[in-house]
Amino acid sequence: MQPIKLALGSLLLAVSTAAAHANADVLRDSANSIFKPIPEQASDKLDPNQVDLGRQLFFEPRLSASHVISCNTCHNIGTGGADNVPTSSGHAWQKGARNSPTVFNAVFNVAQFWDGRAKDLEEQAKGPVQNPVEMHNTPKNVEATLQSMPEYVAAFEKAFPADKQAVSFDNMARALQAFESTLITPDSRFDLYLKGDDKALDAREKKGLQTFMSSGCISCHNGVNLGGQAYFPFGLVKKPDGKILPSGDKGRFEVTKTQNDQYVFRAAPLRNIALTAPYFHSGKVWDLEEAVAIMGTAQLGKQLNAEEVGDIVAFLKSVTGKQPKVEYPLLPPSTAETPRPVD
């Protein structure tokens, strides 16, 4: 009888294990039909000379009129690619209108900015430089600044050898796009799970993934970046209060002038979301649990209970990927011809 009991026990264990694997495969297969892992690189066509120049320019405060603000000021590589404040401080300590989105994985978004007014990272790079509230500069002054430093002239000529005038505002933006396209965060535990590692997520995180999918969050947050691919009204079912959804910021309406686009914003990408508080375009919510609960009522018309919120947050913490390690560049010294900073 003992061998039979042992054999039966082994069989039950095998069946139980197979069932668990089958269930795991169903969840993973469903997830893979909705999401995609972050690839090891965004493109294999990036020019390394442009990437290197873009890295310098990303940290270059002299792109701003004050010589104080760089791209990294509001999109800090050390803090999840964002600046972790409700709205950024710009020229003369003016406050921006919206929370700075992370630059990490931005290359995978359908467009840039909360309202999608820039079609790509190249176009986006030109915006803050010229915005009077942000870097408060002009293309002409940027070009004069860069041309005043021989090291930059040589770097631009190396990065854009076919251009008669290599140092240009457009090439500045192209170089920034090349560098920012390398700021991706692969190999999150969620990515490893999608690739087949069943142990990459624990039981609660898998439950949170299931809740995230079954509750309808995937209607807006899907694809490689868990969002960033389409536009939706904030308050699709129930508008949040005026602190979270300020009435003066009508979102994509300011771009399209279409009535249906009032209070429409690009769905926020959720990669590394645990690192980029505060949340929403207004930057008024610091707690990820609160943000998830608000999205439940505002977008899904559901009052998610504490357990559901906790499970979803547990899952969202698993989508933090490998953070890019970027060596801070040594920037060329100013010369007598470099335009002086302005207040």
Side-chain angles (χ1 to χ4, degrees):
M1 291 294 292
Q2 190 68 21
I4 294 175
K5 287 183 178 179
L6 289 173
L8 181 58
S10 298
L11 177 61
L12 290 173
L13 177 61
V15 171
S16 176
T17 302
H21 283 305
N23 289 336
D25 289 343
V26 168
L27 178 62
R28 184 164 46 244
D29 289 347
S30 296
N32 269 308
S33 71
I34 298 164
F35 313 105
K36 291 291 180 286
I38 295 284
E40 290 302 315
Q41 57 182 15
S43 172
D44 58 2
K45 298 179 180 180
L46 296 176
D47 184 319
N49 294 318
Q50 293 180 10
V51 171
D52 193 54
L53 173 59
R55 178 175 64 95
Q56 286 187 289
L57 295 174
F58 190 85
F59 292 95
E60 178 54 82
R62 289 165 294 187
L63 293 182
S64 68
S66 65
H67 291 199
V68 170
I69 302 167
S70 70
C71 301
N72 191 65
T73 302
C74 301
H75 304 284
N76 196 308
I77 288 176
T79 56
D83 58 5
N84 303 131
V85 294
T87 58
S88 304
S89 295
H91 185 78
W93 297 105
Q94 298 176 87
K95 286 288 187 180
R98 294 176 183 156
N99 180 257
S100 291
T102 178
V103 70
F104 291 171
N105 306 309
V107 65
F108 301 121
N109 294 332
V110 69
Q112 305 303 319
F113 296 115
W114 283 98
D115 54 18
R117 65 184 182 274
K119 69 178 185 291
D120 54 27
L121 288 170
E122 178 183 337
E123 188 173 309
Q124 185 278 332
K126 298 178 181 180
V129 175
Q130 301 177 83
N131 190 318
V133 175
E134 297 182 60
M135 299 171 84
H136 192 63
N137 218 339
T138 65
K140 182 178 179 180
N141 197 58
V142 166
E143 290 174 354
T145 299
L146 296 170
Q147 287 169 347
S148 74
M149 292 172 263
E151 296 91 337
Y152 270 133
V153 173
F156 270 87
E157 289 175 348
K158 187 176 181 180
F160 301 98
D163 290 14
K164 185 176 180 180
Q165 181 60 53
V167 179
S168 70
F169 191 68
D170 286 344
N171 283 347
M172 173 213 72
R174 292 187 185 108
L176 283 169
Q177 175 174 244
F179 171 66
E180 290 173 6
S181 295
T182 70
L183 299 178
I184 60 175
T185 62
D187 295 335
S188 70
R189 290 187 296 106
F190 178 54
D191 288 333
L192 299 180
Y193 174 74
L194 290 176
K195 293 176 182 179
D197 182 356
D198 192 53
K199 295 181 179 179
L201 299 184
D202 64 26
R204 191 177 194 195
E205 290 162 345
K206 290 175 185 175
K207 185 182 175 188
L209 169 59
Q210 180 63 62
T211 304
F212 187 84
M213 294 192 295
S214 63
S215 294
C217 305
I218 55 174
S219 298
C220 302
H221 300 286
N222 50 58
V224 68
N225 223 4
L226 280 75
Q229 301 306 307
Y231 306 93
F232 301 91
F234 189 12
L236 183 64
V237 179
K238 180 183 178 182
K239 280 194 173 186
D241 66 47
K243 179 182 176 182
I244 297 168
L245 182 63
S247 60
D249 186 349
K250 295 188 177 181
R252 193 157 169 75
F253 171 78
E254 301 299 336
V255 178
T256 67
K257 304 303 180 185
T258 301
Q259 290 298 316
N260 288 343
D261 281 338
Q262 290 197 61
Y263 306 107
V264 167
F265 297 88
R266 189 194 63 190
L270 299 183
R271 292 284 182 174
N272 306 293
I273 192 70
L275 305 180
T276 58
Y279 304 114
F280 305 130
H281 69 285
S282 56
K284 294 299 184 182
V285 175
W286 286 90
D287 185 77
L288 187 52
E289 284 81 0
E290 182 183 356
V292 169
I294 289 170
M295 292 303 283
T297 56
Q299 303 303 102
L300 304 174
K302 295 180 179 179
Q303 191 72 45
L304 298 172
N305 63 43
E307 182 179 357
E308 291 170 324
V309 169
D311 291 343
I312 290 174
V313 168
F315 159 63
L316 290 177
K317 289 180 178 179
S318 79
V319 305
T320 299
K322 187 186 300 180
Q323 303 295 288
K325 293 183 179 180
V326 179
E327 182 178 353
Y328 197 100
L330 293 176
L331 303 176
S334 297
T335 67
E337 288 74 39
T338 303
R340 297 297 179 241
V342 299
D343 294 333

